Amino acid sequence: MSRIVVVALYKFVTLEDYQALRQPLLDTMLANGVKGTLLLAWEGINGTIAGPREGMDAVLTWLRSDARLSDLDHKESLCADMPFYRTKVKLKKEIVTIGVEGVCPNETVGTYVEPTDWNALISDPEVLLIDTRNDYEVSIGTFEGAIDPKTQSFREFPEYVKAHYDPEKHKKVAMFCTGGIRCEKASSFMLQQGFDEVFHLKGGILKYFEEVPAEQSRWNGECFVFDNRVTVRHDLAPGSFDQCHACRHPISAEEKASPHYEEGVSCPRCYDSLPEKSRRRAEERQRQVKLAKLRNQPHPIGQQQTQTTPDIT
């Protein structure tokens, strides 16, 4: 059976010409059958993409041919079906948005912790362990003893830290996220705020899953991922959650049994708050999806035009 390679990657590195890199990168992805989204900014590159082994190798080779990205690290997993519908390269002000001026991992960053050393670090009772992901991600799974900031956006993280923690009291801080990018930027912010010993999981949860045996794992639950798999287990196989296309939150089998769940339209979380216009649009979208499946045609979203204009936000 054909297998699709899913690659999560990021690197904080100064890319003064990031705007000029966009079209050649997009062309390389399209030419090699690679889908997904990559973000380019002055501070680096970030994203998750998927494609056949040969195509993925070609895109990674193209990226690493740039001396600034020659040591680009990535995390891999496999799935049976393509987890993305489109191919996009977007231009951004930040590759992960924290919204605080002067936070730059290219200049100041915390201490990287290898996945194989992570268990020992978080077993230290003096270490404050913070999950830097959003609340819906944390609800799917997290590390034992981790604090959930209950943020709905990474932009909320700086205010959360200022309101709850004091550099004079919290001497050791360890943070983690899905692929390593958010906690790396969070570590830069916390050092800026005067915290002394700041650690973050190198490669994130996905690298931990890859390198730490399940029987030694300190992880509970599944891990949310930003593609059509929705979640993955410790063995990096697709998890048990689906995703509501209306509110984008992960939904369990129990939630799908609710009378408020309608495939592609709503779930118990958003049923009462979904505007009628949005509901009608979602119903039409789902109708097109079902028709395409019946006719054995490609997913209608995948047939939409690939993004070809900059999206600087």
Side-chain angles (χ1 to χ4, degrees), residues 226-240:
F226 298 89
D227 58 60
N228 292 344
R229 295 172 298 171
V230 186
T231 63
V232 295
R233 302 191 302 260
H234 196 287
D235 62 359
L236 294 173
S240 60

Side-chain angles (χ1 to χ4, degrees), residues 141-282:
T142 191
F143 281 106
E144 296 172 11
I147 295 170
D148 176 8
K150 301 187 185 304
T151 54
Q152 297 182 9
S153 164
F154 189 47
R155 281 180 174 272
E156 298 174 10
F157 186 78
E159 289 305 315
Y160 165 79
V161 170
K162 292 177 182 178
H164 293 85
Y165 304 118
D166 182 350
E168 295 301 317
K169 296 179 180 178
H170 303 98
K171 299 296 186 180
K172 293 182 180 180
V173 181
M175 296 176 291
F176 63 93
C177 58
T178 308
I181 185 170
R182 272 179 285 187
C183 53
E184 185 165 341
K185 199 159 199 179
S187 76
S188 181
F189 165 75
M190 295 194 78
L191 288 170
Q192 181 193 75
Q193 296 300 304
F195 290 87
D196 187 23
E197 293 185 77
V198 182
F199 305 89
H200 51 101
L201 177 58
K202 186 177 182 181
I205 300 160
L206 296 179
K207 201 67 175 178
Y208 181 88
F209 285 180
E210 185 179 317
E211 296 189 5
V212 177
E215 59 270 19
Q216 298 176 18
S217 180
R218 296 288 300 275
W219 179 267
N220 293 322
E222 298 178 9
C223 178
F224 182 86
V225 289
F226 298 89
D227 58 60
N228 292 344
R229 295 172 298 171
V230 186
T231 63
V232 295
R233 302 191 302 260
H234 196 287
D235 62 359
L236 294 173
S240 60
F241 286 78
D242 204 337
Q243 189 171 34
C244 175
H245 289 288
C247 65
R248 308 308 298 171
H249 278 74
I251 47 178
S252 65
E254 291 77 12
E255 290 170 317
K256 290 172 71 174
S258 165
H260 290 164
Y261 171 74
E262 184 177 350
E263 184 180 5
V265 178
S266 66
C267 72
R269 181 185 295 270
C270 65
Y271 179 83
D272 292 329
S273 60
L274 191 64
E276 187 57 32
K277 184 177 180 180
S278 298
R279 181 179 297 278
R280 290 198 303 269
R281 186 165 57 244

Side-chain angles (χ1 to χ4, degrees), residues 299-312:
H299 196 290
I301 291 181
Q303 296 304 295
Q304 295 179 12
Q305 184 178 9
T306 300
Q307 179 157 338
T308 57
T309 55
D311 179 19
I312 303 179

Side-chain angles (χ1 to χ4, degrees), residues 41-191:
W42 181 88
E43 67 178 9
I45 184 171
N46 176 34
T48 304
I49 53 178
R53 176 82 269 171
E54 297 80 3
M56 191 60 64
D57 287 345
V59 172
L60 291 173
T61 297
W62 186 90
L63 287 168
R64 290 177 177 135
S65 67
D66 187 317
R68 298 166 297 184
L69 301 173
S70 60
D71 59 347
L72 177 68
D73 194 16
H74 73 276
K75 281 78 66 178
E76 286 191 8
S77 56
L78 299 174
C79 61
D81 302 307
M82 172 59 74
F84 297 109
Y85 298 129
R86 302 186 181 106
T87 303
K88 296 186 281 187
V89 179
K90 294 185 176 184
L91 303 181
K92 295 286 185 177
K93 291 180 180 179
E94 299 180 76
I95 55 174
V96 59
T97 304
I98 197 169
V100 177
E101 292 294 331
V103 176
C104 182
N106 289 327
E107 297 176 0
T108 306
V109 73
T111 301
Y112 296 95
V113 180
E114 295 292 340
T116 51
D117 297 326
W118 183 249
N119 287 355
L121 174 67
I122 65 176
S123 296
D124 184 343
E126 294 185 3
V127 170
L128 178 70
L129 180 61
I130 305 176
D131 192 330
T132 65
R133 301 172 304 151
N134 298 330
D135 54 2
Y136 65 91
E137 299 171 76
V138 180
S139 69
I140 300 302
T142 191
F143 281 106
E144 296 172 11
I147 295 170
D148 176 8
K150 301 187 185 304
T151 54
Q152 297 182 9
S153 164
F154 189 47
R155 281 180 174 272
E156 298 174 10
F157 186 78
E159 289 305 315
Y160 165 79
V161 170
K162 292 177 182 178
H164 293 85
Y165 304 118
D166 182 350
E168 295 301 317
K169 296 179 180 178
H170 303 98
K171 299 296 186 180
K172 293 182 180 180
V173 181
M175 296 176 291
F176 63 93
C177 58
T178 308
I181 185 170
R182 272 179 285 187
C183 53
E184 185 165 341
K185 199 159 199 179
S187 76
S188 181
F189 165 75
M190 295 194 78
L191 288 170

